[in-house]
Amino acid sequence: MPEIKVTPLGAGQDVGRSCILVSIAGKNVMLDCGMHMGYNDDRRFPDFSYITQNGRLTDFLDCVIISHFHLDHCGALPYFSEMVGYDGPIYMTHPTKAICPILLEDYRKITVDKKGETNFFTSQMIKDCMKKVVAVHLHQTVQVDEELEIKAYYAGHVLGAAMFQIKVGCESVVYTGDYNMTPDRHLGAAWIDKCRPDLLITESTYATTIRDSKRCRERDFLKKVHETVERGGKVLIPVFALGRAQELCILLETFWERMNLKAPIYFSTGLTEKANHYYKLFITWTNQKIRKTFVQRNMFEFKHIKAFDRAFADNPGPMVVFATPGMLHAGQSLQIFRKWAGNEKNMVIMPGYCVQGTVGHKILSGQRKLEMEGRQILEVKMQVEYMSFSAHADAKGIMQLIRQAEPRNVLLVHGEAKKMEFLKQKIEQEFHVNCYMPANGETTTIFTNPSIPVDISLGLLKRETAIDAKKPKLMHGTLIMKDNSFRLVSPEQALKELGLAEHQLRFTCRVHIQDPRKEHETVLRVYNHLKGVLKDYSVQHLPDGSITVESILIQATAHLEDQGTKVLLVSWTYQDEELGSYLTSLLKKGLPQSTS
Amino acid sequence: MKLYCLSGHPTLPCNVLKFKSTTIMLDCGLDMTSTLNFLPLPLVQSPRLSKLPGLVLKDGSTFLDKELKECSGHVFVDSVPEFCLPETELLDLSTVDVILISNYHCMMALPYITEYTGFTGTVYATEPTVQIGRLLMEELVNSIERVPKAQSASMWKNKEVQRLLPAPLKDAVEVSMWRKCYTMPEVNAALSKIQLVGYSQKIELFGAVQVTPLSSGYALGSSNWIIQSHYEKVSYVSGSSLLTTHPQPMDQASLKNSDVLILTGLTQIPTANPDGMVGEFCSNLAMTVRNGGNVLVPCYPSGVIYDLLECLYQYIDSAGLSNVPFYFISPVANSSLEFSQIFAEWLCHNKQTKVYLPEPPFPHAELIQTNKLKHYPSIHGDFSNDFKQPCVIFTGHPSLRFGDVVHFMELWGKSSLNTVIFTEPDFSYLDALAPYQPLAMKCVYCPIDTRLNFIQVSKLLKEVQPLHVVCPEQYTQPPPSQSHRTDLMIDCQPPPMSYRRAEVLTLPYKRRYEKIEIMPELADSLVPLEIKPGISLATVSAMLHTKDNKHVLQLPPKPPQPPTSKKRKRVSDDVPECKPLKPLLSGSIPVDQFVQTLEKHGFSDVKVEDTAKGHIVLLQEAETLIQIEEDSTHIICDNDEPLRVKLRDLVLKFLQKF
């Protein structure tokens, strides 16, 4: 039986290092190629030796698909393609293709230049890797090869994020990547049509959360920032350069404007302006409102938000700083955090999910004494706030997407095992589909039961649908199977095509009837009798004295010896076997007396 | 398959294709050449235009002198300009299921179709097509609505009156179909019916037909369309270009294996090389400005203007024009310039790579930043303060009948220092200039039409090999003005089928197959039999379900089991219900083996007689006779059902079933 196999190399019952292998109808596809923020050793990248121990990965994979530019979805790509070795196609959307190399370069710099690691991918490798990328449009059907096709759907989450449908014949898988079912200040909501995939692989970051309305969270956020600034404190908002940052910038920008606030807002790293440029150029990927108004006012041109300089961190007075990276695991955000952590007037707002092992995760779980490099202990006195602004679907959103796509099976990735377990139950209860949640390295097999497409000759189809196309009806045909082509034709055509003659099998039965009357009277009695019994059939009395029932012929002759007995010759072909057999047995019982 | 041809304009097509059970409109171009018969609409009253004499007919009658004016020997209608709509009577347009738009120039009649015909379907177009199409419509509506004209001439349209008029008005076709411009609410209503699509997106129509837009290389978001079912493929090629300008290159490969290829929107100036024209444009522009004159470029607010600005960007410094102001005046100038920068995905490779840097794909961003290019919504307001001469002005409309271009024609027409450069190919420049004659200003004609020329077409057709080509009749003969140029027509085998306005073509093709799905349970139950090496057969008796034009075969339902006791009693009374489905038989019966089989089954008195065509096998005791011939077997017996069934099954053993 045809089957689809799924093996997560990363993101199986975990968040980070997304990398999922899918085998569908003989095609192997790798979904995402991410790094894990919580590890600095081998575990940060997926274990590609699972695909092959020796030999090029190109021979084992038909294509790689990257859902969006976050490093936990694309961070291992140069390592995978240039260091392990893969030359096949890599698919991603245009914005992802534009932004991904910048984040990879950033990641490389932090790892190699700051942490001094060797044996890491180089800038050139990032460039070479990006040369293998094929950019796709939304909803474009990309033919990877003759059988394998992929199609991208809008996913919200970050600029250029996409869900992908992978299709071979009539079997299909949808991989959501990370997605968001509610539009936010800069992006629209994820959308997919009722594509009924055999399997939906969905993220489940917020598997158990039903988030309150966005407006409340935004008001909360603004209130906290405002209060801190009012009392002269500094606000640190660790973010990734692209994505949530822009949403929060838009939020603060409009708030500052409305409240006429003067405290400076900074955005760290040179990426800022560049990042905003991407948003301007890819404005078609943002939400309706921004797209509609961009000619008059481009939302990504900020008046109040200025570039940050390292020296500003020590300036007195209130300020708000957006700094990268978002989980406080390295770089500028961590530096600023160390400077400001000791003052209780200050505040750090974590606007997104933090992976285990990061400083962000530690302070969010309540740790207030952190061991930094060199055994130094950092005491955290500043206020720590968590505000879920990460644009993942919550439980309601995930259920909504399942309802939209109507998959036959669901598989959860990119979430924590405990929470997945809960969601899995909910999905199975509500949709009556199987739900899987494999761990990394564990293979899930899903059996599909595809129907078989064949070519039916129009003649045969029209013959069958001529009367009432809507009503199901029984049809008869011959399936010709030749060189992998399947054609359903009428039996006559099949014989003709194969150059075979029909062999006609005919039966003629003698039925003796006691009837002293003249032959033609007997015939008339038989005719009336049959006409009475076989109401739905065409019974005819022909001028030559014979009777036909459909194509069955009945003739009467006198018995040679016995004048009181008539012999009915009933003749039919094999195709009328049922009716012919029925007629003889009917006639054998004789004619009813009352018939005149 | 039928094609209803609603437009006679080869580059502004409007065809309706009936394919399987769907009715698909291909483009709805608006023929605006009709406006050339009207007087220009000046923004401020023009003494010259208002003093033009009324028309006096040959017989001296003057009853038309309010409606028709004469200017330098040409007659113009003094009324709001009107457009020639596509044919609306050839078929009931409310039955159109979908409209496919190929580029923003070919959607200008959309409001007339969607708002006036009872149309309830969906329109498909790419995002740039819709956005820029909206800008073109906005500009059109704006430039006509802002100069309200009290008079609306209609007397001249009377057939009896029209006959008396001088050419070209006398010969104008379908004047009763000419309509005034639509309004913005109608534009918005029309555009709201559009569904956005991306290149290579497969769109299912009613399960019967799939349509797919392909990049056509002509303009931002311009597309050709594939309309196909599982077995038939129609390619609709409309406005394609193989030149490398700003849009994504044309997708040719996907047009292969078409049964029918409908070819429209070829270049209107087959003898002009666009590159050469751009060069001439630049040098004429430079020369005029150096001599202290102004340059007027009548143009659409999007399209070739992007390429011209890019050329000028590279040219102005070297030509010493850095201090000459360039003005772009249109109610949608700003939007057009902004929109051009955000469609990175629809641009050629070079421009796409720029966006990755990230830099704006078009250099006019820099021209604006450095104040070399300024744009204004109209000549009022800021423009009048900034206006410096000599200068270069890009503005619409290319017909010279409305828009700010009318103002500058009146302003600059009297000086021979100035030049008007025609780059848009849609209007004859002589006709466009006619109501401004006599003119002192220089006129340069540099039509830039990047659409396919006939050499490229013949190469394309060789490459994609369609079975049949359908095209407007204009393409099947040399242009009327150059009747010796037999190279300026489509040359292919078989010769193209041509159409003209209001014609209905029956397209040649024969459908023979349809897709059907066999459900897995049914497939499992089939017993394939190898008849010849490599060819297997299986007889299929199944339930046929048809829904949304999709056919599915399922296992036939098991016959309902009536209470067995009842059945036994009346076994012979049960008239067989559904028509029995017995397979056809094939093969022949070897008599010797058949006799042996009979004997094995207990028939001891088998006798065989030879006949002319075969044999007769006699079972004497049973008074049964079996005639065996090459292609038939006839069993003649008494009414002994068990015997007959036994013989039947023995015969069937030797035959193949179909």
Side-chain angles (χ1 to χ4, degrees):
Chain A
M1 195 178 271
E3 56 188 32
I4 296 173
K5 283 189 174 173
V6 183
T7 314
L9 297 185
Q13 302 181 4
D14 186 17
V15 176
R17 204 179 70 183
S18 279
C19 182
I20 297 135
L21 296 175
V22 172
S23 295
I24 171 170
K27 304 285 171 186
N28 297 318
V29 178
M30 188 162 96
L31 304 169
D32 280 337
C33 188
M35 55 82 100
H36 203 296
M37 315 236 182
Y39 300 117
N40 276 320
D41 51 20
D42 280 352
R43 289 173 296 174
R44 70 179 159 204
F45 291 152
D47 178 11
F48 298 113
S49 67
Y50 180 92
I51 304 171
T52 170
Q53 296 284 348
N54 35 38
R56 311 248 328 144
L57 291 169
T58 318
D59 304 332
F60 295 87
L61 289 173
D62 292 281
C63 74
V64 174
I65 294 171
I66 302 295
S67 64
H68 62 285
F69 60 63
H70 276 157
L71 288 174
D72 58 329
H73 292 259
C74 70
L77 201 56
Y79 168 77
F80 161 78
S81 74
E82 305 312 306
M83 296 174 80
V84 184
Y86 170 77
D87 299 318
I90 302 167
Y91 294 97
M92 51 178 87
T93 65
H94 283 270
T96 308
K97 185 181 173 188
I99 295 164
C100 173
I102 291 165
L103 296 187
L104 285 171
E105 181 58 31
D106 214 41
Y107 173 40
R108 189 199 65 78
K109 267 194 205 140
I110 290 177
T111 314
V112 178
D113 299 353
K114 297 235 169 91
K115 294 192 192 155
E117 273 194 53
T118 50
N119 195 25
F120 202 71
F121 54 75
T122 63
S123 294
Q124 188 56 43
M125 285 178 184
I126 298 175
K127 282 186 191 131
D128 293 339
C129 166
M130 293 314 288
K131 282 182 195 148
K132 297 170 185 171
V133 171
V134 182
V136 301
H137 288 256
L138 278 185
H139 301 164
Q140 171 192 11
T141 299
V142 180
Q143 214 71 45
V144 177
D145 59 33
E146 295 232 317
E147 289 105 27
L148 174 61
E149 55 181 53
I150 61 171
K151 179 177 175 184
Y153 290 94
Y154 192 77
H157 190 60
V158 289
L159 193 74
M163 309 191 273
F164 279 88
Q165 182 191 45
I166 300 107
K167 200 171 167 196
V168 184
C170 43
E171 291 172 85
S172 65
V173 173
V174 168
Y175 172 58
T176 64
D178 292 355
Y179 63 103
N180 187 8
M181 293 299 282
T182 47
D184 61 31
R185 278 181 187 264
H186 74 305
L187 296 174
W191 179 85
I192 195 162
D193 53 11
K194 206 175 277 311
C195 55
R196 298 198 175 92
D198 292 295
L199 175 65
L200 175 78
I201 303 175
T202 173
E203 66 135 322
S204 49
T205 323
Y206 290 112
T208 53
T209 326
I210 306 269
R211 285 183 294 171
D212 50 2
S213 90
K214 192 106 190 182
R215 295 247 163 247
C216 294
R217 261 178 293 145
E218 287 176 358
R219 215 178 305 131
D220 241 29
F221 170 79
L222 292 171
K223 199 172 141 217
K224 279 182 180 141
V225 173
H226 192 194
E227 280 170 5
T228 310
V229 172
E230 287 287 274
R231 67 166 179 257
K234 296 176 167 63
V235 182
L236 171 65
I237 309 169
V239 288
F240 289 97
L242 290 126
R244 243 13 58 199
Q246 276 69 27
E247 186 187 356
L248 296 177
C249 283
I250 292 174
L251 194 61
L252 280 190
E253 168 91 7
T254 36
F255 186 70
W256 248 238
E257 186 133 344
R258 200 176 69 219
M259 306 294 287
N260 201 14
L261 296 181
K262 293 286 178 273
I265 308 175
Y266 297 114
F267 200 119
S268 82
T269 79
L271 257 178
T272 339
E273 214 178 335
K274 226 173 168 185
N276 290 340
H277 258 304
Y278 283 115
Y279 277 85
K280 279 190 241 168
L281 294 172
F282 286 110
I283 212 131
T284 54
W285 285 79
T286 58
N287 70 25
Q288 203 87 47
K289 194 182 153 204
I290 293 186
R291 281 158 59 178
K292 268 207 168 133
T293 56
F294 92 103
V295 176
Q296 291 79 44
R297 160 140 175 64
N298 198 318
M299 289 293 258
F300 298 104
E301 275 162 16
F302 300 117
K303 268 191 265 168
H304 297 271
I305 300 166
K306 310 239 160 47
F308 181 72
D309 188 287
R310 194 176 295 199
F312 294 173
D314 299 320
N315 284 1
M319 66 173 84
V320 181
V321 175
F322 289 95
T324 57
M327 298 185 192
L328 286 180
H329 56 281
Q332 200 154 34
S333 64
L334 189 59
Q335 281 171 20
I336 301 172
F337 173 74
R338 288 165 85 162
K339 275 194 180 151
W340 294 358
N343 189 338
E344 60 274 6
K345 271 207 293 190
N346 297 340
M347 177 183 283
V348 58
I349 300 180
M350 305 298 298
Y353 185 87
C354 288
V355 165
Q356 219 160 26
T358 59
V359 171
H361 187 265
K362 284 177 194 154
I363 58 170
L364 281 184
S365 46
Q367 221 173 308
R368 287 295 174 264
K369 287 208 165 74
L370 302 171
E371 189 178 334
M372 308 306 280
E373 289 143 49
R375 300 233 166 154
Q376 198 188 335
I377 300 290
L378 179 71
E379 198 169 343
V380 181
K381 288 191 186 148
M382 77 196 298
Q383 296 177 52
V384 177
E385 293 289 345
Y386 171 67
M387 248 172 235
S388 155
F389 273 100
S390 39
H392 293 277
D394 61 2
K396 219 165 92 191
I398 296 170
M399 301 300 268
Q400 196 185 334
L401 186 85
I402 296 174
R403 209 166 294 125
Q404 267 182 25
E406 284 193 6
R408 295 191 185 87
N409 296 278
V410 177
L411 189 144
L412 305 178
V413 293
H414 200 284
E416 291 159 32
K418 263 189 293 179
K419 295 180 180 175
M420 278 185 178
E421 195 70 61
F422 174 82
L423 184 65
K424 171 176 143 72
Q425 273 179 14
K426 225 176 120 179
I427 289 170
E428 287 180 337
Q429 265 168 25
E430 187 164 340
F431 298 107
H432 308 287
V433 297
N434 290 325
C435 186
Y436 307 87
M437 40 173 284
N440 287 333
E442 188 186 323
T443 301
T444 299
T445 305
I446 285 142
F447 294 100
T448 58
N449 207 359
S451 47
I452 296 153
V454 304
D455 300 343
I456 183 169
S457 88
L458 215 53
L460 178 63
L461 185 68
K462 286 220 166 126
R463 188 163 86 188
E464 300 298 337
T465 52
I467 314 143
D468 178 9
K470 294 256 162 62
K471 227 171 104 191
K473 53 185 72 69
L474 197 62
M475 64 160 289
H476 180 72
T478 303
L479 189 63
I480 305 179
M481 289 163 268
K482 185 183 165 189
D483 312 329
N484 279 332
S485 90
F486 296 87
R487 285 183 307 128
L488 187 61
V489 298
S490 64
E492 294 86 352
Q493 193 185 336
L495 281 177
K496 210 168 128 196
E497 276 188 31
L498 293 166
L500 299 175
E502 188 191 340
H503 189 104
Q504 207 183 57
L505 176 57
R506 179 168 277 283
F507 306 96
T508 302
C509 263
R510 295 183 288 266
V511 182
H512 299 258
I513 291 186
Q514 299 300 318
D515 189 16
R517 276 167 265 216
K518 293 235 169 82
E519 278 158 37
H520 69 268
E521 283 174 36
T522 311
V523 169
L524 201 60
R525 284 185 70 201
V526 170
Y527 170 70
N528 286 332
H529 176 48
L530 293 181
K531 191 120 180 122
V533 178
L534 300 168
K535 290 205 170 60
D536 294 337
Y537 290 79
S538 138
V539 182
Q540 284 181 307
H541 191 181
L542 299 183
D544 68 354
S546 53
I547 299 170
T548 57
V549 178
E550 302 286 326
S551 57
I552 294 170
L553 187 73
I554 303 171
Q555 287 172 312
T557 54
H559 198 276
L560 286 176
E561 292 142 28
D562 180 2
Q563 286 297 319
T565 305
K566 300 286 179 296
V567 180
L568 294 176
L569 291 174
V570 184
S571 181
W572 69 93
T573 63
Y574 177 61
Q575 280 64 42
D576 292 319
E577 173 72 2
E578 260 81 16
L579 187 59
S581 163
Y582 168 76
L583 273 183
T584 52
S585 58
L586 180 72
L587 291 170
K588 195 177 176 183
K589 282 187 287 184
L591 299 173
Q593 290 307 313
S594 54
T595 319
S596 54
Chain B
M1 186 155 57
K2 281 206 157 87
L3 190 70
Y4 296 73
C5 311
L6 311 185
S7 161
H9 197 300
T11 23
L12 297 167
C14 182
N15 294 315
V16 173
L17 178 72
K18 288 211 177 195
F19 182 35
K20 289 183 87 179
S21 49
T22 57
T23 305
I24 302 171
M25 180 178 278
L26 306 169
D27 280 332
C28 43
L30 184 62
D31 188 350
M32 293 201 234
T33 50
S34 57
T35 59
L36 293 176
N37 294 299
F38 292 77
L39 274 187
L41 285 181
L43 193 53
V44 283
Q45 220 203 354
S46 149
R48 186 186 69 85
L49 288 173
S50 47
K51 273 187 218 143
L52 289 176
L55 176 72
V56 181
L57 292 175
K58 272 184 207 145
D59 61 0
S61 56
T62 58
F63 67 99
L64 285 167
D65 68 348
K66 288 270 175 311
E67 293 201 347
L68 303 177
K69 306 280 178 189
E70 259 191 290
C71 176
S72 308
H74 290 264
V75 178
F76 298 95
V77 183
D78 188 9
S79 178
V80 185
E82 295 178 341
F83 310 119
C84 179
L85 264 56
E87 210 60 42
T88 49
E89 306 290 316
L90 197 58
L91 83 162
D92 180 0
L93 292 179
S94 69
T95 62
V96 170
D97 299 310
V98 296
I99 302 178
L100 309 180
I101 304 291
S102 51
N103 62 67
Y104 45 75
H105 286 301
C106 291
M107 62 186 282
M108 296 301 278
L110 196 62
Y112 295 117
I113 306 289
T114 60
E115 306 311 302
Y116 289 98
T117 63
F119 172 80
T120 55
T122 311
V123 184
Y124 292 99
T126 63
E127 182 164 9
T129 301
V130 178
Q131 298 296 3
I132 297 172
R134 176 195 292 276
L135 298 184
L136 292 184
M137 290 180 179
E138 252 180 66
E139 191 195 55
L140 186 68
V141 172
N142 182 292
S143 47
I144 288 178
E145 281 185 353
R146 66 180 181 162
V147 248
K149 193 130 184 156
Q151 168 166 303
S152 174
S154 58
M155 227 192 309
W156 70 276
K157 287 187 184 178
N158 183 307
K159 273 214 164 61
E160 292 306 309
V161 176
Q162 199 197 350
R163 228 164 25 91
L164 306 170
L165 302 179
L169 275 181
K170 185 171 74 176
D171 310 317
V173 288
E174 313 272 357
V175 289
S176 58
M177 297 279 299
W178 291 13
R179 289 284 175 276
K180 288 201 192 89
C181 189
Y182 33 73
T183 63
M184 259 341 264
E186 283 163 356
V187 169
N188 289 328
L191 296 180
S192 72
K193 297 180 170 90
I194 299 183
Q195 197 166 322
L196 298 184
V197 293
Y199 288 150
S200 304
Q201 179 176 349
K202 295 175 177 172
I203 304 137
E204 288 280 337
L205 304 182
F206 317 108
V209 176
Q210 197 181 58
V211 296
T212 309
L214 304 172
S215 175
S216 78
Y218 164 60
L220 264 176
S222 71
S223 17
N224 293 321
W225 290 83
I226 302 285
I227 302 124
Q228 63 187 340
S229 69
H230 288 290
Y231 302 94
E232 303 85 21
K233 177 169 172 179
V234 177
S235 294
Y236 175 58
V237 174
S238 165
S240 298
S241 177
L242 290 170
L243 298 179
T244 318
T245 56
H246 57 274
Q248 214 181 91
M250 176 181 180
D251 178 353
Q252 294 182 66
S254 306
L255 298 172
K256 281 184 183 166
N257 304 319
S258 304
D259 297 296
V260 174
L261 186 140
I262 303 170
L263 185 60
T264 67
L266 304 184
T267 176
Q268 302 184 77
I269 322 287
T271 47
N273 167 11
D275 284 334
M277 288 295 134
V278 171
E280 244 175 76
F281 168 81
C282 289
S283 59
N284 275 296
L285 183 143
M287 199 152 44
T288 305
V289 176
R290 273 194 215 112
N291 293 336
N294 299 295
V295 177
L296 179 62
V297 187
C299 63
Y300 293 115
S302 177
V304 174
I305 186 173
Y306 302 144
D307 298 317
L308 291 178
L309 289 175
E310 185 155 2
C311 283
L312 289 173
Y313 168 79
Q314 291 157 2
Y315 183 75
I316 44 178
D317 287 330
S318 63
L321 302 175
S322 341
N323 295 320
V324 178
F326 287 77
Y327 301 118
F328 176 17
I329 305 171
S330 160
V332 297
N334 185 27
S335 299
S336 167
L337 294 171
E338 289 286 340
F339 270 114
S340 67
Q341 306 287 21
I342 66 158
F343 292 124
E345 292 156 70
W346 309 86
L347 293 173
C348 63
H349 182 74
N350 273 344
K351 298 221 174 301
Q352 248 175 40
T353 354
K354 281 189 120 183
V355 176
Y356 294 161
L357 292 177
E359 277 170 22
F362 285 97
H364 54 239
E366 203 184 314
L367 286 176
I368 295 169
Q369 235 170 29
T370 53
N371 260 332
K372 284 175 183 156
L373 173 68
K374 294 185 179 182
H375 54 83
Y376 304 90
S378 82
I379 52 173
H380 293 304
D382 291 347
F383 175 73
S384 38
N385 302 329
D386 300 353
F387 184 39
K388 276 193 206 81
Q389 305 191 62
C391 65
V392 178
I393 292 186
F394 294 87
T395 188
H397 184 271
S399 66
L400 305 192
R401 292 303 179 271
F402 42 86
D404 289 319
V405 74
V406 175
H407 175 79
F408 290 102
M409 282 304 295
E410 294 286 335
L411 185 70
W412 291 344
K414 291 167 219 100
S415 165
S416 60
L417 281 179
N418 302 327
T419 307
V420 55
I421 309 182
F422 291 88
T423 55
E424 301 287 356
D426 286 356
F427 301 92
S428 143
Y429 80 106
L430 289 175
D431 291 345
L433 288 171
Y436 297 96
Q437 299 293 1
L439 265 181
M441 100 194 279
K442 279 199 289 291
C443 304
V444 178
Y445 184 50
C446 302
I448 298 167
D449 195 333
T450 56
R451 286 171 279 208
L452 297 176
N453 62 35
F454 290 99
I455 300 166
Q456 292 164 330
V457 165
S458 85
K459 225 176 115 198
L460 174 75
L461 291 180
K462 267 192 199 109
E463 181 113 358
V464 306
Q465 299 268 357
L467 285 183
H468 299 279
V469 174
V470 177
C471 67
E473 62 171 351
Q474 289 93 331
Y475 296 159
T476 58
Q477 58 217 22
S481 56
Q482 292 153 296
S483 53
H484 62 288
R485 292 289 299 269
T486 48
D487 57 326
L488 300 183
M489 57 186 273
I490 293 178
D491 175 31
C492 66
Q493 275 311 320
M497 300 177 68
S498 70
Y499 67 81
R500 61 175 74 180
R501 189 178 167 110
E503 219 170 36
V504 181
L505 295 189
T506 303
L507 301 184
Y509 91 116
K510 200 163 187 286
R511 273 201 310 137
R512 290 179 54 213
Y513 285 99
E514 184 59 87
K515 235 356 160 215
I516 195 164
E517 282 192 6
I518 296 188
M519 295 302 282
E521 301 78 29
L522 175 64
D524 285 345
S525 76
L526 298 179
V527 190
L529 204 70
E530 187 158 23
I531 300 289
K532 289 178 180 174
I535 304 179
S536 300
L537 295 187
T539 52
V540 179
S541 289
M543 290 307 283
L544 172 68
H545 294 259
T546 299
K547 198 184 163 196
D548 298 337
N549 291 312
K550 297 250 184 272
H551 310 290
V552 175
L553 280 181
Q554 290 181 348
L555 271 181
K558 294 215 174 68
Q561 296 273 321
T564 41
S565 56
K566 206 177 167 190
K567 174 147 190 169
R568 211 167 279 151
K569 247 187 249 165
R570 308 181 49 206
V571 65
S572 57
D573 287 356
D574 277 326
V575 180
E577 260 185 19
C578 55
K579 223 178 158 192
L581 292 163
K582 284 288 178 207
L584 292 185
L585 303 171
S586 181
S588 56
I589 299 186
V591 175
D592 296 345
Q593 283 177 43
F594 181 61
V595 170
Q596 281 171 21
T597 312
L598 284 176
E599 282 168 347
K600 222 192 287 174
H601 282 82
F603 297 96
S604 50
D605 54 347
V606 183
K607 247 182 83 180
V608 179
E609 288 173 15
D610 289 351
T611 65
K613 284 186 181 165
H615 310 274
I616 292 180
V617 179
L618 280 168
L619 308 175
Q620 286 169 310
E621 195 188 336
E623 287 189 49
T624 294
L625 187 138
I626 305 168
Q627 288 176 347
I628 298 177
E629 289 175 12
E630 178 70 28
D631 287 333
S632 68
T633 301
H634 194 170
I635 300 173
I636 303 160
C637 62
D638 266 342
N639 191 7
D640 179 351
E641 192 64 5
L643 171 72
R644 188 188 68 82
V645 168
K646 192 170 178 183
L647 290 174
R648 177 193 74 191
D649 292 343
L650 291 178
V651 168
L652 286 178
K653 275 190 185 167
F654 291 92
L655 296 173
Q656 291 159 342
K657 292 175 188 158
F658 287 88

